[in-house]
């Protein structure tokens, strides 16, 4: 909008403050005279906002000076919110009323660029700091500081209701205004105007000190007319105020509760009563705040900088408007006095000076009457009997009261027409201002006019340790009085400031902006006609309109008029007329009417000067075009003639030179060809013979050397392989024989012991009749269980074999295809070699032909007669030779290409061979697992039933891999068949060893339960619970057990914790621990590859198990020790994988459940934002949309999620997958809501969602690729849909542009849905054109026949985006050796090995340190 008004004639466009600002700027640049813009009106009419718009426009057209590196215009604009925070407050009529006057003087250089600025302030309302009435508020900066969060806590501040200076009114918040956000804006404004961080901290320390000072209360002291602090709360606030002022607390209390009087005999200290102490406290608060405000204004002026060399300025006056409240005091009196002064200036400029000009020039003019307010100004400021003079006189007498002051006023102005006495009060009086009658209460006139400066306060704060506070009181007045209280009249000082302002305004050309308040309720779209008419009449607007309609706004002297517009009638300029008659003839020639001719000037109606300027511009434009036409014709003809002559001469010279050069070239070419023909033939033959012999020699030597090297290498490799095989065979055989002998001895002793014990028990059981029946039923149950497991293992084995066979077939087909490609490449190579041999034969034949031709050339000297015939044959042979050489080069090139292709095929074959090897390794792993399953299925032999009684009678000495025995081998499992004892143990008697084993078994379970249920934290980002569980299972040899339930106990414990615990804490914690435990199992376990089938005798089975124990811990390429795992361990790894996927799914579903309501409120912009956007149609008035608090909630939700995940050290791999699925859910939810709700498919809503997506993008960038990954790409659908909503001129976009450029990811059905539901609630633009809609509808009709589903919505992604291999590759290596067991778990005897290991580490570190 500012661009529209820039340079536009005044009155051409609709009325706006930009037009007034542009008129003042143009007048300043054209006339070179300073301007001023006076913004006036009642309180709450919008003067401050109008002033902001004027300064924005001036900075827009003025910009920045070329030599000025500082952003003067930005500092001028940003000074507004800073001054508003410290100088504006809420009143009865206005939420943001200026409680001070402001005159902004913007200085310009000779080019019309801003070169400096200065701000002057008038009469800050100091009493508001300590005294306010309901429902008004104190200055905004106090409430902003209380809502600042950490800063408020630092200064011991709280809610405004806790402070005396703020809780006198119950209004603490303003509608639609956030004090915290305004605090940040004030901080930003301070940064821009150049206030350092230390100065900012000092400013807010001072404000906090004022608030604490207001809470200091006094009570009567022990002495007469003395005062002391009231209670402990007052002492606390006094201490805080002293700390913030950085002065002595006792001195501060003394300056508030006593007064120092200087006499001839010395200094007298007088104690103050409670009221005097409170008055002294308030005087200190007002003085500090006033000096702080003056410091801010001075700092802004220094920061912005004044241009002392500037000759042109534009002043913008924003001063308090006319105020008339229920209770009007001294402040309203001063404010209305200033408005009377401005009204008098308006009357003098618009009415008096205008009509005096008309009378001076003696033109036909009828005088317009208007209301003159000079008598009111005389009543207020005239000496010696004006109200201000009488007020100063009363303030000089100590015993004067408002009663004596009111009596004096009534006696002096009893007969004045503008003066009235209030009806129901003895001390109130009424003045008839230009805007109406106002009744003033004189109760506080004397107190507010006395501007006391307490010298003790100044001395105390000038010695403050805070440099800022000491700076505020650095300059003290000369102390010539006996009292420490220095009196200064506020009204007199204000009158002097107003007089200086009037002098400044009189030196400038004024422009007026009248602000009219539509209603007294501060409601939009509501106009009170009587109130508006009263404001227009009292402000002199109606009289100004009458003068503008009847007057002549444009006037020129006759000489200026003739000099400027004489060219419109050149026929009158040649005749010797005087200037007045020439002016009249020019105007009549242009058929203009209603103008007036004065003595020295011509007066024109409104708009006539524009007609004259437009006619003058037409005449000048036509003359310039004619001159340009003639000049261009002359220049073009002159250039053409000279160019043509030069071209003729140049062409002749070039043609001769080219002909001579062409002749010489042809002659030299013929001679060169003859010489080259013979020389090239000899050189080529000689070079070919040498190259051929050298190539043959090199090839033979290289082939012999490579063959010898391969033979020697193969011989050495074969010998080394044979030696290694013999040595390994001998080593393994000797170890096996040794261990086999030991095992056979141990088995014999153990079986003898068992046989004796079994014999005794069988003898005891022989007399029992029910023993056989009980054993039979238990064996049947065991047989059914084993049969069921056999069928299960068979099904698993069949499925594994089918998968293995399918994988083998696929690999075989790949290998066969690669072999075929290799054969084809070999055949192509052989063909190329054959072609090369043929070409070499042809080259030899050509060599023989060349030798024959040489012999013929020797005979040619003798046979000159046959020269012509031989020449023709020689040319033919040369041509044939060149063709043969070209074919040879092509054959060599083809041979090189074929060799390169063969090398590429060899590389491909090598890569495929590596893939085949890796697949074979995987196949071997699958076969090992299958072997274990087959072993479990075939482990039940017919002998087992026969030994049932024997097993039933054996006590459970070694119950699996849970009890750590000191006497067992760590490499293999005990051959005791204790796995089958559990079903029989309840019915049999237990011995002492059985009780001990069960107790240890139970202790292991309790330890694992405690380890799972307790949060034992992390060490060096490694989960302690997972590492401790793994080390315990490894120590207890649980992975090598054929049958155990400890893994089921661990999985059930984890599920119980997940089911009972808090999701926000438990799920991230166990995702980190479970994934770490899974990685440890994946990297350190492998299936048992040695099947140990049971035989009738137990010795062979035990020997094989010992062999397994010896060979299972082997080293792979990565250096990590691997353990052979039995079937329960493999099943536990699969269950743990499912547990990790379950935890991830629960976390994802929980996050979606929490995020769904937040997304429901983010898809649609708030109603207030939409209403405001609908009202401001023009781009100039469009407010900046900020993301709402709902998007902030989503950002907070994501931040909390990252804090929880990173606090539990969840690997970045899971965080990246989880964040990606969360953003996919955001994309799906927002996009589906956009397509289903028409109120969401609007322009303003698109801007709102786009701003929210910008916040999400900022969050992704701050988070980084390590945790966010490709989350931003998951928002493609909603980003493209929102981008389509907020573009302008949709009707100009074709379907191809929409599908390829704007929405490439969206389908036709989705684009059609958005296009038909779109409506612009902000600018009223239309959606895509009807042709595009018809094209999309046609495509949809065609697609409906092919698609099975016509849904345009997105589906939620419920898959698990990772596998066990992905987890193994993504998570770094975990070393569980340095994990320390917590003190709460170290009491269990089953984990004493961890405690001992920990103590050894501590001792070793101490030794190293020593």
């Amino acid at each position: 909008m500012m661009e529209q008004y820039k340079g536009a004639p005044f009155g051409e466009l609709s009325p706006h403050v930009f037009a007034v600002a542009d008129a003042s700027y143009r007048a300043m640049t054209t006339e070179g005279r300073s301007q001023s813009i006076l913004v006036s009106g009642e309180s709450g009419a919008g003067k401050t906002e109008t002033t902001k718009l004027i300064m924005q426009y001036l900075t827009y057209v003025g910009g920045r000076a070329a030599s000025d590196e500082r952003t003067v215009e930005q500092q001028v604009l940003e000074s507004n919110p800073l001054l508003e925070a410290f100088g504006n407050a809420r009143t009865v009529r206005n939420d943001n009323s200026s409680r001070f006057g402001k005159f902004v003087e913007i200085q310009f250089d000779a080019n019309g660029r801003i070169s400096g600025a200065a701000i002057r302030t008038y009469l800050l309302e100091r009493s508001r700091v300590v005294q306010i009435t309901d429902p008004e508020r104190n200055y905004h900066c106090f409430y902003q500081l209380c809502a600042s969060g950490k800063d408020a806590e630092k200064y011991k501040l709280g809610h405004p209701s806790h402070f005396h200076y703020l809780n006198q009114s119950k209004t603490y918040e303003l509608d639609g205004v956030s004090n915290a956000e305004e605090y940040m804006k004030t901080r930003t404004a301070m940064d821009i105007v150049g206030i350092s961080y230390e100065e900012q901290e000092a400013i807010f320390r001072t404000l906090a000190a004022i608030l604490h000072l207001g809470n200091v209360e006094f009570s009567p002291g022990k002495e007469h007319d003395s005062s002391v602090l009231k209670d402990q709360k007052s002492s606390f606030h006094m201490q805080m105020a002293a700390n913030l002022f950085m002065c002595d607390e006792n001195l501060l209390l003394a300056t508030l509760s006593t007064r120092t009087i200087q006499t001839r005999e010395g200094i007298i200290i007088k104690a103050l009563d409670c009221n005097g102490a409170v008055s002294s406290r308030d005087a200190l608060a007002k003085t500090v705040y006033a000096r702080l405000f003056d410091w801010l204004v001075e700092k802004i002026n220094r920061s912005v900088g004044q241009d002392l060399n500037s000759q042109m300025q534009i002043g913008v006056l924003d001063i308090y408007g006319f105020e008339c409240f229920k209770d009007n005091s001294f402040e309203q009196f001063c404010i209305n006095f200033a408005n009377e002064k401005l009204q008098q200036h308006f009357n003098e400029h618009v009415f008096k000076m205008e009509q005096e000009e008309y009378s001076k020039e003696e033109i036909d003019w009828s005088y317009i009457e208007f209301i003159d307010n000079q008598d009111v100004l005389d009543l207020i400021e005239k000496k010696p009997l004006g109200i201000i003079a009488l007020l100063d006189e009363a303030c000089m007498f100590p015993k004067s009261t408002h009663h004596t002051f009111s009596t004096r006023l009534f006696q002096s102005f009893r007969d004045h027409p503008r003066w009235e006495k209030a009806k129901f009060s003895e001390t109130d009086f009424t003045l008839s201002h230009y805007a109406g009658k106002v009744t003033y209460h004189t109760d506080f006139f004397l107190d507010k006019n006395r501007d006391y400066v307490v010298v003790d306060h100044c001395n105390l704060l000038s010695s403050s340790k805070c440099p800022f506070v000491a700076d505020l009181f650095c300059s003290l007045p000369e102390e010539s009085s006996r009292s420490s209280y220095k009196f200064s009249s506020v009204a007199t000082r204000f009158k002097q400031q107003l007089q200086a302002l009037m002098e400044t305004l009189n030196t400038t050309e004024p422009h007026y902006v009248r602000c009219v308040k539509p209603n007294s309720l501060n409601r939009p779209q509501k106009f009170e006609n009587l109130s508006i008419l009263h404001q227009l009449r009292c402000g002199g607007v109606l009289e100004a309109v009458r003068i503008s309609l009847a007057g002549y706004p444009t006037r020129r002297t006759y000489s200026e008029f003739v000099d400027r517009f004489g060219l419109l009638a050149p026929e009158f300029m040649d005749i010797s007329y005087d200037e007045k008659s020439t002016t009249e003839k020019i105007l009549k020639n242009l058929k203009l009417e209603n103008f007036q001719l004065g003595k020295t000037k011509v007066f024109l109606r409104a708009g006539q000067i524009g007609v004259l300027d437009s006619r003058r511009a037409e005449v000048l434009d036509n003359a310039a075009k004619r001159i340009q036409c003639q000049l261009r014709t002359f220049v073009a003809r002159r250039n053409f003639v000279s160019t043509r002559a030069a071209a003729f001469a140049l062409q002749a010279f070039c043609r001769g030179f080219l002909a001579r050069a062409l002749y010489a070239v042809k002659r030299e070419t013929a001679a060169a060809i003859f010489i080259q023909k013979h020389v090239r033939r000899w050189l080529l033959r000689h070079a070919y013979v040498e190259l051929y012999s050298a190539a043959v020699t090199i090839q033979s030597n290289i082939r012999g050397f490579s063959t010898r090297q391969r033979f020697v290498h193969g011989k050495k490799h074969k010998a080394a392989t044979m030696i290694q095989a013999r040595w390994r065979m001998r080593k393994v055989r000797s170890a096996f024989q040794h261990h086999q002998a030991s095992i056979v001895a141990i088995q014999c002793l153990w079986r003898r012991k068992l046989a004796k014990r079994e014999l005794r028990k069988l003898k005891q059981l022989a007399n029992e009749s029910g023993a056989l029946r009980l054993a039979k039923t238990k064996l049947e149950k065991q047989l059914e269980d084993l049969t069921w497991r056999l069928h299960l293992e068979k099904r698993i084995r069949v499925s594994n074999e089918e998968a293995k066979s399918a994988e083998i077939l696929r690999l075989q087909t790949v290998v066969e295809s690669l072999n075929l490609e290799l054969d084809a490449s070999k055949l192509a190579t052989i063909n190329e070699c054959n072609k090369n041999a043929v070409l070499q034969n042809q080259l030899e034949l050509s060599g023989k032909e060349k030798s024959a031709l040489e012999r013929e050339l020797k005979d040619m000297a003798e046979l000159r007669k046959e020269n012509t015939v031989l020449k023709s044959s020689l040319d033919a042979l040369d041509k044939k030779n060149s063709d043969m050489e070209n074919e040879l080069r092509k054959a060599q090139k083809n041979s090189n290409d074929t060799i390169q292709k063969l090398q590429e095929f060899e590389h491909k074959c090598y890569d495929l061979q590596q893939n085949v090897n890796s697949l074979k390794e995987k196949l071997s792993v699958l076969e090992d697992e299958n072997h274990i399953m087959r072993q479990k299925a075939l482990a039940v032999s017919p002998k087992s039933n026969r030994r049932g009684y024997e097993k039933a009678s054996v006590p459970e000495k070694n119950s699996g891999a849970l009890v750590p025995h000191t006497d067992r081998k760590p490499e293999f499992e005990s051959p005791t068949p204790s796995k089958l004892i559990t079903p029989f143990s309840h019915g049999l008697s237990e011995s002492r060893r059985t009780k001990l084993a069960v107790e240890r078994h139970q202790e292991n379970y309790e330890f694992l339960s405690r380890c799972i249920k307790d949060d034992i934290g992390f060490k060096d980002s490694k989960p302690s619970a997972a590492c401790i569980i793994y080390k315990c299972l490894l120590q207890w040899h649980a992975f090598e057990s054929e049958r155990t339930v400890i893994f089921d106990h661990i999985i059930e414990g984890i599920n119980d914790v997940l089911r009972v615990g808090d999701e926000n804490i438990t799920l991230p914690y166990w995702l980190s621990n479970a994934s770490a435990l899974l990685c440890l199992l994946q990297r350190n376990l492998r299936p048992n590859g040695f099947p140990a089938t049971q035989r009738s005798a137990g010795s062979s089975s035990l020997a094989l198990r010992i062999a397994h124990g010896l060979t299972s811990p082997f080293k792979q390429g990565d250096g990590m020790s691997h353990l052979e795992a039995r079937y329960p361990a493999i099943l536990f790894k699969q269950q743990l994988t499912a547990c990790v996927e379950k935890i991830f799914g629960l976390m994802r579903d929980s996050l979606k459940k929490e995020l769904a309501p937040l997304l429901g409120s983010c898809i649609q912009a708030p109603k207030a934002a939409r209403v405001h956007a609908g009202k401001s149609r023009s781009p100039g008035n469009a407010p900046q949309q900020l993301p709402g608090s709902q998007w902030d909630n989503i950002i907070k939700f994501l931040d909390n999620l990252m804090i929880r995940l990173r606090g539990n050290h969840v690997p970045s791999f899971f965080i990246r997958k989880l964040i990606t699925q969360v953003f996919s859910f955001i994309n799906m939810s927002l996009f589906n809501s956009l397509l289903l709700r028409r109120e969401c498919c609007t322009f303003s809503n698109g801007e709102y969602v786009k701003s929210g997506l910008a916040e999400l993008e900022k969050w992704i960038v701050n988070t980084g690729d390590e945790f966010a990954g490709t989350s931003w790409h998951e928002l493609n659908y909603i980003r493209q849909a929102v981008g389509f909503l907020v573009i302008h001129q949709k009707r100009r976009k074709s379907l191809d542009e929409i599908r390829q450029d704007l929405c490439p990811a969206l389908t036709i059905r989705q684009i059609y849905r958005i296009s038909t539901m779109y409506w612009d609630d902000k600018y009223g633009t239309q959606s895509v054109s009807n042709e595009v809609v018809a094209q999309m509808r046609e495509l949809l009709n065609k697609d409906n026949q092919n698609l099975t589903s016509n849904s345009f919505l997105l589906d939620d992604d419920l898959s698990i985006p990772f596998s066990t291999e992905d987890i193994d590759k993504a998570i770094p290596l975990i070393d569980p050796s340095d994990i320390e067991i917590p003190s709460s778990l170290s009491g269990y005897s089953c984990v004493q090995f961890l405690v001992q290991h920990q103590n050894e580490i501590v001792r070793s570190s101490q030794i190293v340190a020593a």
Side-chain angles (χ1 to χ4, degrees), residues 1087-1106:
N1088 189 353
F1090 297 90
T1093 57
Q1094 292 185 355
R1095 300 178 183 176
S1096 58
S1099 60
S1100 61
S1101 175
L1102 185 58
L1104 288 175
R1105 290 187 183 182
I1106 292 174

Short mmCIF file of all heavy atoms in Angstrom, two decimals, residues 1087-1106:
data_model
loop_
_atom_site.label_atom_id
_atom_site.label_comp_id
_atom_site.label_asym_id
_atom_site.label_seq_id
_atom_site.Cartn_x
_atom_site.Cartn_y
_atom_site.Cartn_z
N PRO A 1087 24.42 -70.87 16.49
CA PRO A 1087 23.82 -72.20 16.71
C PRO A 1087 24.88 -73.28 16.84
O PRO A 1087 25.97 -73.19 16.27
CB PRO A 1087 22.96 -72.39 15.46
CG PRO A 1087 22.75 -71.03 14.92
CD PRO A 1087 23.97 -70.25 15.25
N ASN A 1088 24.53 -74.31 17.62
CA ASN A 1088 25.45 -75.44 17.84
C ASN A 1088 25.57 -76.24 16.56
O ASN A 1088 24.59 -76.76 16.03
CB ASN A 1088 24.92 -76.31 19.00
CG ASN A 1088 25.94 -77.35 19.41
OD1 ASN A 1088 26.96 -77.51 18.75
ND2 ASN A 1088 25.65 -78.04 20.49
N GLY A 1089 26.77 -76.37 16.02
CA GLY A 1089 26.98 -77.06 14.75
C GLY A 1089 27.39 -78.50 14.89
O GLY A 1089 27.65 -79.17 13.90
N PHE A 1090 27.49 -79.06 16.11
CA PHE A 1090 27.90 -80.44 16.33
C PHE A 1090 26.75 -81.21 16.94
O PHE A 1090 26.49 -81.11 18.13
CB PHE A 1090 29.13 -80.53 17.26
CG PHE A 1090 30.34 -79.88 16.69
CD1 PHE A 1090 30.59 -78.54 16.94
CD2 PHE A 1090 31.21 -80.58 15.88
CE1 PHE A 1090 31.69 -77.93 16.43
CE2 PHE A 1090 32.33 -79.96 15.37
CZ PHE A 1090 32.57 -78.64 15.63
N PRO A 1091 26.00 -81.97 16.15
CA PRO A 1091 24.87 -82.73 16.72
C PRO A 1091 25.37 -83.85 17.61
O PRO A 1091 26.26 -84.63 17.26
CB PRO A 1091 24.15 -83.28 15.48
CG PRO A 1091 25.20 -83.35 14.45
CD PRO A 1091 26.14 -82.24 14.69
N ALA A 1092 24.77 -83.96 18.82
CA ALA A 1092 25.17 -84.99 19.78
C ALA A 1092 23.98 -85.91 20.02
O ALA A 1092 23.18 -85.69 20.89
CB ALA A 1092 25.64 -84.35 21.08
N THR A 1093 23.86 -86.93 19.20
CA THR A 1093 22.76 -87.89 19.34
C THR A 1093 23.05 -88.82 20.50
O THR A 1093 24.20 -89.24 20.72
CB THR A 1093 22.61 -88.69 18.05
OG1 THR A 1093 23.84 -89.31 17.77
CG2 THR A 1093 22.24 -87.75 16.89
N GLN A 1094 22.00 -89.15 21.23
CA GLN A 1094 22.15 -90.03 22.39
C GLN A 1094 22.29 -91.49 21.95
O GLN A 1094 21.62 -91.95 21.03
CB GLN A 1094 20.95 -89.89 23.32
CG GLN A 1094 20.89 -88.54 23.99
CD GLN A 1094 19.76 -88.49 24.98
OE1 GLN A 1094 19.00 -89.45 25.08
NE2 GLN A 1094 19.67 -87.40 25.71
N ARG A 1095 23.17 -92.17 22.63
CA ARG A 1095 23.32 -93.60 22.39
C ARG A 1095 22.85 -94.35 23.61
O ARG A 1095 22.46 -93.77 24.62
CB ARG A 1095 24.81 -93.94 22.11
CG ARG A 1095 25.38 -93.20 20.89
CD ARG A 1095 26.85 -93.54 20.70
NE ARG A 1095 27.43 -92.79 19.59
CZ ARG A 1095 28.70 -92.84 19.26
NH1 ARG A 1095 29.53 -93.62 19.95
NH2 ARG A 1095 29.14 -92.14 18.24
N SER A 1096 22.88 -95.66 23.50
CA SER A 1096 22.45 -96.45 24.65
C SER A 1096 23.41 -96.26 25.81
O SER A 1096 23.02 -96.21 26.96
CB SER A 1096 22.39 -97.95 24.27
OG SER A 1096 23.67 -98.38 23.81
N ALA A 1097 24.64 -96.17 25.55
CA ALA A 1097 25.63 -95.90 26.59
C ALA A 1097 25.86 -94.41 26.65
O ALA A 1097 25.89 -93.73 25.64
CB ALA A 1097 26.93 -96.64 26.28
N GLY A 1098 26.03 -93.88 27.84
CA GLY A 1098 26.17 -92.43 27.99
C GLY A 1098 27.57 -91.93 27.77
O GLY A 1098 27.80 -90.73 27.76
N SER A 1099 28.54 -92.80 27.59
CA SER A 1099 29.92 -92.34 27.49
C SER A 1099 30.15 -91.60 26.19
O SER A 1099 30.82 -90.57 26.17
CB SER A 1099 30.86 -93.54 27.61
OG SER A 1099 30.60 -94.47 26.57
N SER A 1100 29.64 -92.11 25.08
CA SER A 1100 29.88 -91.45 23.79
C SER A 1100 29.23 -90.09 23.75
O SER A 1100 29.78 -89.12 23.22
CB SER A 1100 29.37 -92.33 22.65
OG SER A 1100 27.96 -92.53 22.82
N SER A 1101 28.00 -89.98 24.29
CA SER A 1101 27.32 -88.67 24.31
C SER A 1101 28.11 -87.66 25.12
O SER A 1101 28.28 -86.50 24.74
CB SER A 1101 25.91 -88.83 24.90
OG SER A 1101 25.29 -87.58 25.04
N LEU A 1102 28.60 -88.09 26.28
CA LEU A 1102 29.37 -87.18 27.12
C LEU A 1102 30.67 -86.78 26.44
O LEU A 1102 31.11 -85.63 26.52
CB LEU A 1102 29.66 -87.86 28.45
CG LEU A 1102 30.36 -87.01 29.51
CD1 LEU A 1102 29.54 -85.78 29.81
CD2 LEU A 1102 30.59 -87.84 30.76
N ALA A 1103 31.28 -87.70 25.72
CA ALA A 1103 32.53 -87.38 25.03
C ALA A 1103 32.29 -86.34 23.95
O ALA A 1103 33.08 -85.41 23.77
CB ALA A 1103 33.13 -88.66 24.43
N LEU A 1104 31.19 -86.52 23.21
CA LEU A 1104 30.89 -85.54 22.17
C LEU A 1104 30.60 -84.18 22.76
O LEU A 1104 30.96 -83.14 22.21
CB LEU A 1104 29.71 -86.02 21.33
CG LEU A 1104 30.00 -87.20 20.40
CD1 LEU A 1104 28.73 -87.66 19.72
CD2 LEU A 1104 31.04 -86.82 19.36
N ARG A 1105 29.91 -84.15 23.90
CA ARG A 1105 29.63 -82.86 24.54
C ARG A 1105 30.93 -82.20 25.00
O ARG A 1105 31.07 -80.98 24.95
CB ARG A 1105 28.70 -83.06 25.74
CG ARG A 1105 27.28 -83.45 25.30
CD ARG A 1105 26.35 -83.49 26.47
NE ARG A 1105 25.02 -83.92 26.06
CZ ARG A 1105 23.99 -84.01 26.90
NH1 ARG A 1105 24.15 -83.74 28.18
NH2 ARG A 1105 22.81 -84.39 26.46
N ILE A 1106 31.86 -82.99 25.49
CA ILE A 1106 33.15 -82.41 25.88
C ILE A 1106 33.86 -81.87 24.65
O ILE A 1106 34.48 -80.80 24.69
CB ILE A 1106 34.00 -83.48 26.60
CG1 ILE A 1106 33.35 -83.82 27.94
CG2 ILE A 1106 35.42 -82.98 26.80
CD1 ILE A 1106 34.04 -84.96 28.65
#
